[in-house]
Short mmCIF file of all heavy atoms in Angstrom, two decimals:
data_model
loop_
_atom_site.label_atom_id
_atom_site.label_comp_id
_atom_site.label_asym_id
_atom_site.label_seq_id
_atom_site.Cartn_x
_atom_site.Cartn_y
_atom_site.Cartn_z
N ILE A 1 0.83 -1.21 0.00
CA ILE A 1 0.00 0.00 0.00
C ILE A 1 0.86 1.26 0.00
O ILE A 1 0.59 2.22 -0.73
CB ILE A 1 -0.94 0.01 1.22
CG1 ILE A 1 -1.92 -1.18 1.14
CG2 ILE A 1 -1.71 1.33 1.33
CD1 ILE A 1 -2.79 -1.35 2.36
N VAL A 2 1.90 1.26 0.83
CA VAL A 2 2.72 2.48 0.96
C VAL A 2 3.83 2.55 -0.10
O VAL A 2 4.35 3.63 -0.38
CB VAL A 2 3.35 2.59 2.37
CG1 VAL A 2 2.28 2.68 3.43
CG2 VAL A 2 4.30 1.43 2.65
N TYR A 3 4.15 1.39 -0.68
CA TYR A 3 5.25 1.38 -1.65
C TYR A 3 4.80 1.96 -2.98
O TYR A 3 3.77 1.60 -3.54
CB TYR A 3 5.77 -0.04 -1.87
CG TYR A 3 6.83 -0.13 -2.95
CD1 TYR A 3 8.12 0.32 -2.72
CD2 TYR A 3 6.52 -0.64 -4.21
CE1 TYR A 3 9.11 0.25 -3.71
CE2 TYR A 3 7.48 -0.72 -5.20
CZ TYR A 3 8.78 -0.28 -4.95
OH TYR A 3 9.73 -0.35 -5.93
N LYS A 4 5.59 2.86 -3.47
CA LYS A 4 5.39 3.41 -4.81
C LYS A 4 6.73 3.39 -5.51
O LYS A 4 7.72 3.90 -4.99
CB LYS A 4 4.86 4.84 -4.76
CG LYS A 4 3.44 4.96 -4.20
CD LYS A 4 2.98 6.41 -4.20
CE LYS A 4 1.57 6.53 -3.63
NZ LYS A 4 1.11 7.95 -3.60
N GLU A 5 6.75 2.77 -6.66
CA GLU A 5 8.01 2.69 -7.39
C GLU A 5 8.49 4.09 -7.73
O GLU A 5 7.78 4.88 -8.37
CB GLU A 5 7.83 1.88 -8.68
CG GLU A 5 9.15 1.64 -9.40
CD GLU A 5 8.98 0.74 -10.60
OE1 GLU A 5 7.84 0.26 -10.84
OE2 GLU A 5 9.97 0.52 -11.30
N GLN A 6 9.68 4.40 -7.27
CA GLN A 6 10.22 5.73 -7.50
C GLN A 6 10.97 5.77 -8.82
O GLN A 6 11.91 5.02 -9.03
CB GLN A 6 11.16 6.12 -6.36
CG GLN A 6 10.45 6.26 -5.02
CD GLN A 6 11.41 6.72 -3.94
OE1 GLN A 6 12.60 6.48 -3.99
NE2 GLN A 6 10.88 7.38 -2.93
N LYS A 7 10.51 6.62 -9.67
CA LYS A 7 11.17 6.76 -10.97
C LYS A 7 12.21 7.88 -10.86
O LYS A 7 11.94 9.04 -11.17
CB LYS A 7 10.14 7.06 -12.05
CG LYS A 7 9.16 5.91 -12.27
CD LYS A 7 8.18 6.20 -13.38
CE LYS A 7 7.24 5.01 -13.58
NZ LYS A 7 6.25 5.27 -14.66
N ILE A 8 13.36 7.49 -10.35
CA ILE A 8 14.43 8.45 -10.14
C ILE A 8 15.33 8.45 -11.37
O ILE A 8 15.76 7.40 -11.85
CB ILE A 8 15.26 8.10 -8.89
CG1 ILE A 8 14.37 8.12 -7.66
CG2 ILE A 8 16.43 9.05 -8.72
CD1 ILE A 8 15.05 7.63 -6.40
N GLU A 9 15.59 9.63 -11.86
CA GLU A 9 16.47 9.74 -13.02
C GLU A 9 17.93 9.64 -12.55
O GLU A 9 18.43 10.51 -11.85
CB GLU A 9 16.25 11.08 -13.73
CG GLU A 9 17.11 11.23 -14.98
CD GLU A 9 16.93 12.59 -15.66
OE1 GLU A 9 16.04 13.34 -15.24
OE2 GLU A 9 17.70 12.87 -16.60
N LEU A 10 18.57 8.56 -12.92
CA LEU A 10 19.96 8.35 -12.53
C LEU A 10 20.90 8.87 -13.61
O LEU A 10 20.69 8.64 -14.80
CB LEU A 10 20.23 6.86 -12.29
CG LEU A 10 19.54 6.24 -11.07
CD1 LEU A 10 19.77 4.74 -11.04
CD2 LEU A 10 20.04 6.88 -9.78
N LYS A 11 21.92 9.56 -13.16
CA LYS A 11 22.95 10.06 -14.06
C LYS A 11 24.24 9.31 -13.75
O LYS A 11 24.31 8.54 -12.79
CB LYS A 11 23.17 11.56 -13.84
CG LYS A 11 21.90 12.40 -13.89
CD LYS A 11 22.21 13.83 -13.50
CE LYS A 11 20.93 14.66 -13.45
NZ LYS A 11 21.21 16.05 -12.99
N GLU A 12 25.24 9.51 -14.56
CA GLU A 12 26.54 8.95 -14.26
C GLU A 12 27.41 10.05 -13.66
O GLU A 12 27.50 11.15 -14.21
CB GLU A 12 27.19 8.36 -15.51
CG GLU A 12 26.48 7.11 -15.99
CD GLU A 12 27.29 6.34 -17.02
OE1 GLU A 12 28.35 6.86 -17.46
OE2 GLU A 12 26.87 5.23 -17.38
N CYS A 13 28.03 9.74 -12.54
CA CYS A 13 28.88 10.71 -11.86
C CYS A 13 29.95 11.22 -12.82
O CYS A 13 30.59 10.44 -13.53
CB CYS A 13 29.52 10.06 -10.63
SG CYS A 13 30.76 11.08 -9.80
N SER A 14 30.15 12.52 -12.83
CA SER A 14 31.12 13.13 -13.76
C SER A 14 32.56 12.74 -13.43
O SER A 14 33.46 12.91 -14.25
CB SER A 14 30.98 14.65 -13.73
OG SER A 14 31.22 15.15 -12.41
N VAL A 15 32.77 12.19 -12.22
CA VAL A 15 34.13 11.81 -11.81
C VAL A 15 34.36 10.31 -11.98
O VAL A 15 35.29 9.88 -12.66
CB VAL A 15 34.40 12.22 -10.34
CG1 VAL A 15 35.80 11.77 -9.91
CG2 VAL A 15 34.24 13.71 -10.17
N CYS A 16 33.51 9.49 -11.36
CA CYS A 16 33.74 8.04 -11.34
C CYS A 16 32.88 7.25 -12.32
O CYS A 16 33.16 6.09 -12.62
CB CYS A 16 33.55 7.48 -9.94
SG CYS A 16 31.82 7.53 -9.37
N GLY A 17 31.79 7.87 -12.79
CA GLY A 17 30.93 7.19 -13.74
C GLY A 17 29.87 6.30 -13.13
O GLY A 17 29.09 5.67 -13.85
N PHE A 18 29.80 6.22 -11.80
CA PHE A 18 28.80 5.37 -11.16
C PHE A 18 27.50 6.16 -10.95
O PHE A 18 27.51 7.39 -10.94
CB PHE A 18 29.35 4.80 -9.85
CG PHE A 18 30.16 3.56 -10.07
CD1 PHE A 18 31.45 3.62 -10.56
CD2 PHE A 18 29.60 2.30 -9.83
CE1 PHE A 18 32.18 2.47 -10.82
CE2 PHE A 18 30.32 1.14 -10.07
CZ PHE A 18 31.62 1.22 -10.56
N PRO A 19 26.38 5.45 -10.79
CA PRO A 19 25.07 6.12 -10.75
C PRO A 19 24.92 7.11 -9.60
O PRO A 19 25.38 6.87 -8.49
CB PRO A 19 24.09 4.95 -10.58
CG PRO A 19 24.83 3.74 -11.04
CD PRO A 19 26.26 3.99 -10.70
N THR A 20 24.23 8.21 -9.90
CA THR A 20 23.95 9.23 -8.90
C THR A 20 22.78 10.07 -9.40
O THR A 20 22.44 10.03 -10.59
CB THR A 20 25.17 10.14 -8.66
OG1 THR A 20 24.85 11.12 -7.67
CG2 THR A 20 25.62 10.83 -9.93
N THR A 21 22.15 10.79 -8.50
CA THR A 21 21.07 11.70 -8.92
C THR A 21 21.61 13.10 -9.17
O THR A 21 20.89 13.96 -9.65
CB THR A 21 19.98 11.77 -7.84
OG1 THR A 21 20.58 12.16 -6.59
CG2 THR A 21 19.31 10.41 -7.67
N GLU A 22 22.86 13.32 -8.82
CA GLU A 22 23.50 14.62 -8.99
C GLU A 22 24.57 14.55 -10.08
O GLU A 22 24.87 13.47 -10.61
CB GLU A 22 24.13 15.08 -7.67
CG GLU A 22 23.20 15.06 -6.48
CD GLU A 22 22.12 16.11 -6.56
OE1 GLU A 22 22.34 17.12 -7.28
OE2 GLU A 22 21.07 15.93 -5.93
N GLU A 23 25.16 15.68 -10.37
CA GLU A 23 26.25 15.68 -11.36
C GLU A 23 27.45 14.90 -10.84
O GLU A 23 28.13 14.19 -11.58
CB GLU A 23 26.67 17.12 -11.67
CG GLU A 23 27.83 17.19 -12.66
CD GLU A 23 28.34 18.60 -12.89
OE1 GLU A 23 27.70 19.56 -12.40
OE2 GLU A 23 29.40 18.74 -13.52
N LYS A 24 27.68 15.00 -9.54
CA LYS A 24 28.79 14.32 -8.90
C LYS A 24 28.25 13.54 -7.71
O LYS A 24 27.47 14.07 -6.91
CB LYS A 24 29.83 15.35 -8.44
CG LYS A 24 31.17 14.78 -8.01
CD LYS A 24 32.11 15.91 -7.59
CE LYS A 24 32.42 16.83 -8.76
NZ LYS A 24 33.38 17.90 -8.37
N CYS A 25 28.66 12.27 -7.57
CA CYS A 25 28.10 11.44 -6.50
C CYS A 25 28.61 11.88 -5.13
O CYS A 25 29.63 12.57 -5.00
CB CYS A 25 28.40 9.96 -6.74
SG CYS A 25 30.13 9.46 -6.45
N GLN A 26 27.91 11.43 -4.10
CA GLN A 26 28.23 11.81 -2.72
C GLN A 26 29.63 11.37 -2.35
O GLN A 26 30.36 12.10 -1.65
CB GLN A 26 27.20 11.18 -1.79
CG GLN A 26 27.16 11.75 -0.40
CD GLN A 26 26.03 11.16 0.43
OE1 GLN A 26 25.57 10.05 0.18
NE2 GLN A 26 25.56 11.91 1.42
N TYR A 27 30.02 10.18 -2.79
CA TYR A 27 31.35 9.67 -2.45
C TYR A 27 32.44 10.53 -3.09
O TYR A 27 33.43 10.89 -2.42
CB TYR A 27 31.50 8.22 -2.90
CG TYR A 27 32.91 7.70 -2.72
CD1 TYR A 27 33.34 7.23 -1.48
CD2 TYR A 27 33.83 7.72 -3.77
CE1 TYR A 27 34.65 6.78 -1.30
CE2 TYR A 27 35.13 7.27 -3.59
CZ TYR A 27 35.52 6.80 -2.37
OH TYR A 27 36.82 6.37 -2.19
N CYS A 28 32.30 10.86 -4.35
CA CYS A 28 33.33 11.66 -5.03
C CYS A 28 33.42 13.07 -4.45
O CYS A 28 34.50 13.65 -4.40
CB CYS A 28 33.07 11.69 -6.54
SG CYS A 28 33.46 10.12 -7.36
N ARG A 29 32.27 13.59 -4.01
CA ARG A 29 32.32 14.90 -3.35
C ARG A 29 33.08 14.81 -2.04
O ARG A 29 33.81 15.74 -1.66
CB ARG A 29 30.89 15.42 -3.09
CG ARG A 29 30.11 15.75 -4.35
CD ARG A 29 28.96 16.72 -4.09
NE ARG A 29 28.05 16.24 -3.06
CZ ARG A 29 26.99 15.48 -3.31
NH1 ARG A 29 26.70 15.11 -4.55
NH2 ARG A 29 26.18 15.11 -2.33
N LEU A 30 32.93 13.68 -1.34
CA LEU A 30 33.68 13.47 -0.11
C LEU A 30 35.18 13.40 -0.39
O LEU A 30 35.98 14.05 0.31
CB LEU A 30 33.21 12.18 0.56
CG LEU A 30 33.88 11.81 1.89
CD1 LEU A 30 33.60 12.86 2.96
CD2 LEU A 30 33.41 10.43 2.36
N GLU A 31 35.57 12.62 -1.38
CA GLU A 31 36.98 12.55 -1.77
C GLU A 31 37.52 13.94 -2.10
O GLU A 31 38.64 14.30 -1.72
CB GLU A 31 37.15 11.63 -2.99
CG GLU A 31 37.43 10.19 -2.66
CD GLU A 31 37.98 9.42 -3.86
OE1 GLU A 31 38.30 10.05 -4.89
OE2 GLU A 31 38.09 8.20 -3.76
N GLU A 32 36.73 14.71 -2.82
CA GLU A 32 37.15 16.04 -3.24
C GLU A 32 37.37 16.96 -2.04
O GLU A 32 38.34 17.73 -2.00
CB GLU A 32 36.09 16.63 -4.16
CG GLU A 32 36.48 17.96 -4.79
CD GLU A 32 35.40 18.43 -5.75
OE1 GLU A 32 34.38 18.98 -5.27
OE2 GLU A 32 35.58 18.24 -6.97
N ARG A 33 36.49 16.87 -1.04
CA ARG A 33 36.64 17.72 0.14
C ARG A 33 37.91 17.38 0.91
O ARG A 33 38.62 18.28 1.38
CB ARG A 33 35.42 17.57 1.05
CG ARG A 33 34.17 18.21 0.52
CD ARG A 33 33.05 18.18 1.53
NE ARG A 33 33.34 19.00 2.70
CZ ARG A 33 32.53 19.12 3.75
NH1 ARG A 33 31.37 18.46 3.76
NH2 ARG A 33 32.86 19.88 4.78
N VAL A 34 38.21 16.09 1.03
CA VAL A 34 39.44 15.69 1.71
C VAL A 34 40.65 16.15 0.91
O VAL A 34 41.63 16.66 1.48
CB VAL A 34 39.47 14.16 1.92
CG1 VAL A 34 40.80 13.72 2.50
CG2 VAL A 34 38.33 13.73 2.85
N GLU A 35 40.60 15.98 -0.40
CA GLU A 35 41.72 16.39 -1.25
C GLU A 35 41.96 17.89 -1.16
O GLU A 35 43.11 18.35 -1.06
CB GLU A 35 41.43 16.00 -2.71
CG GLU A 35 42.57 16.26 -3.68
CD GLU A 35 43.81 15.44 -3.36
OE1 GLU A 35 43.67 14.30 -2.86
OE2 GLU A 35 44.93 15.95 -3.59
N ASN A 36 40.89 18.65 -1.16
CA ASN A 36 41.02 20.11 -1.06
C ASN A 36 41.63 20.53 0.27
O ASN A 36 42.39 21.51 0.34
CB ASN A 36 39.66 20.78 -1.24
CG ASN A 36 39.18 20.75 -2.68
OD1 ASN A 36 39.99 20.54 -3.60
ND2 ASN A 36 37.89 20.91 -2.89
N SER A 37 41.30 19.79 1.33
CA SER A 37 41.86 20.14 2.64
C SER A 37 43.38 19.95 2.65
O SER A 37 44.09 20.66 3.34
CB SER A 37 41.20 19.30 3.74
OG SER A 37 41.60 17.94 3.67
N PHE A 38 43.86 18.97 1.88
CA PHE A 38 45.30 18.77 1.77
C PHE A 38 45.94 19.89 0.93
O PHE A 38 47.02 20.37 1.23
CB PHE A 38 45.61 17.40 1.15
CG PHE A 38 45.68 16.29 2.16
CD1 PHE A 38 44.54 15.64 2.58
CD2 PHE A 38 46.89 15.91 2.72
CE1 PHE A 38 44.60 14.63 3.52
CE2 PHE A 38 46.97 14.90 3.66
CZ PHE A 38 45.82 14.25 4.06
N LYS A 39 45.25 20.26 -0.13
CA LYS A 39 45.81 21.26 -1.03
C LYS A 39 46.02 22.61 -0.34
O LYS A 39 46.96 23.34 -0.63
CB LYS A 39 44.91 21.44 -2.25
CG LYS A 39 44.98 20.27 -3.22
CD LYS A 39 44.06 20.50 -4.41
CE LYS A 39 44.16 19.34 -5.38
NZ LYS A 39 43.24 19.52 -6.54
N ILE A 40 45.09 22.94 0.57
CA ILE A 40 45.22 24.23 1.24
C ILE A 40 45.99 24.12 2.55
O ILE A 40 46.09 25.08 3.31
CB ILE A 40 43.83 24.85 1.51
CG1 ILE A 40 43.03 23.99 2.48
CG2 ILE A 40 43.08 25.06 0.21
CD1 ILE A 40 41.68 24.61 2.88
N GLY A 41 46.51 22.91 2.82
CA GLY A 41 47.33 22.74 4.02
C GLY A 41 46.53 22.86 5.29
O GLY A 41 47.03 23.36 6.31
N PHE A 42 45.29 22.40 5.26
CA PHE A 42 44.41 22.52 6.42
C PHE A 42 45.00 21.77 7.61
O PHE A 42 45.38 20.62 7.49
CB PHE A 42 43.04 21.96 6.06
CG PHE A 42 42.00 22.18 7.12
CD1 PHE A 42 41.64 23.45 7.48
CD2 PHE A 42 41.39 21.11 7.74
CE1 PHE A 42 40.67 23.66 8.43
CE2 PHE A 42 40.43 21.30 8.70
CZ PHE A 42 40.07 22.58 9.04
N ASP A 43 45.06 22.40 8.75
CA ASP A 43 45.64 21.80 9.96
C ASP A 43 44.59 21.79 11.06
O ASP A 43 44.03 22.83 11.41
CB ASP A 43 46.85 22.63 10.40
CG ASP A 43 47.61 21.94 11.53
OD1 ASP A 43 46.96 21.33 12.39
OD2 ASP A 43 48.85 22.04 11.54
N ASN A 44 44.36 20.62 11.62
CA ASN A 44 43.31 20.47 12.63
C ASN A 44 43.84 20.41 14.05
O ASN A 44 43.12 20.06 14.97
CB ASN A 44 42.50 19.20 12.33
CG ASN A 44 41.28 19.09 13.22
OD1 ASN A 44 40.62 20.09 13.47
ND2 ASN A 44 40.99 17.90 13.70
N SER A 45 45.08 20.71 14.26
CA SER A 45 45.61 20.60 15.61
C SER A 45 44.86 21.51 16.58
O SER A 45 44.83 21.27 17.77
CB SER A 45 47.11 20.94 15.62
OG SER A 45 47.31 22.25 15.10
N GLU A 46 44.24 22.58 16.05
CA GLU A 46 43.49 23.48 16.91
C GLU A 46 41.99 23.48 16.61
O GLU A 46 41.18 23.65 17.50
CB GLU A 46 44.02 24.92 16.76
CG GLU A 46 45.45 25.06 17.24
CD GLU A 46 45.95 26.49 17.09
OE1 GLU A 46 45.20 27.31 16.52
OE2 GLU A 46 47.06 26.79 17.55
N ASN A 47 41.61 23.29 15.31
CA ASN A 47 40.20 23.47 14.97
C ASN A 47 39.54 22.28 14.30
O ASN A 47 38.51 22.41 13.67
CB ASN A 47 40.02 24.71 14.08
CG ASN A 47 40.80 24.58 12.78
OD1 ASN A 47 41.35 23.53 12.49
ND2 ASN A 47 40.83 25.65 11.99
N GLY A 48 40.09 21.08 14.41
CA GLY A 48 39.36 19.91 13.96
C GLY A 48 39.68 19.40 12.59
O GLY A 48 38.83 18.79 11.94
#
C-alpha cells in the first residue's frame, strides 16, 4: 500500500561514472573535500 516505485532519473557521476542523482556522486564529493583540505594545508591541531 505504501510502496510506490520511484522513478528516479539516474545520471553517471562526472568523476567516477557510477550512478547518482546529482552531477557528482556523494562519495566523489567526499573525496574532493578531503583532497582540497590537503591542497590548502588545512591543519586540525586546533580546529578539527
Side-chain angles (χ1 to χ4, degrees):
I1 297 174
V2 299
Y3 175 74
K4 293 180 181 179
E5 186 175 357
Q6 295 183 333
K7 295 182 179 179
I8 299 174
E9 182 182 353
L10 292 174
K11 308 173 184 177
E12 291 193 353
C13 173
S14 59
V15 178
C16 68
F18 276 76
T20 181
T21 56
E22 308 291 336
E23 178 185 351
K24 192 179 297 182
C25 74
Q26 196 175 25
Y27 174 82
C28 286
R29 293 202 304 270
L30 180 63
E31 269 196 9
E32 186 177 79
R33 288 187 66 181
V34 174
E35 185 63 32
N36 287 341
S37 70
F38 273 85
K39 287 180 179 178
I40 64 175
F42 187 63
D43 188 323
N44 188 40
S45 57
E46 295 181 354
N47 61 7

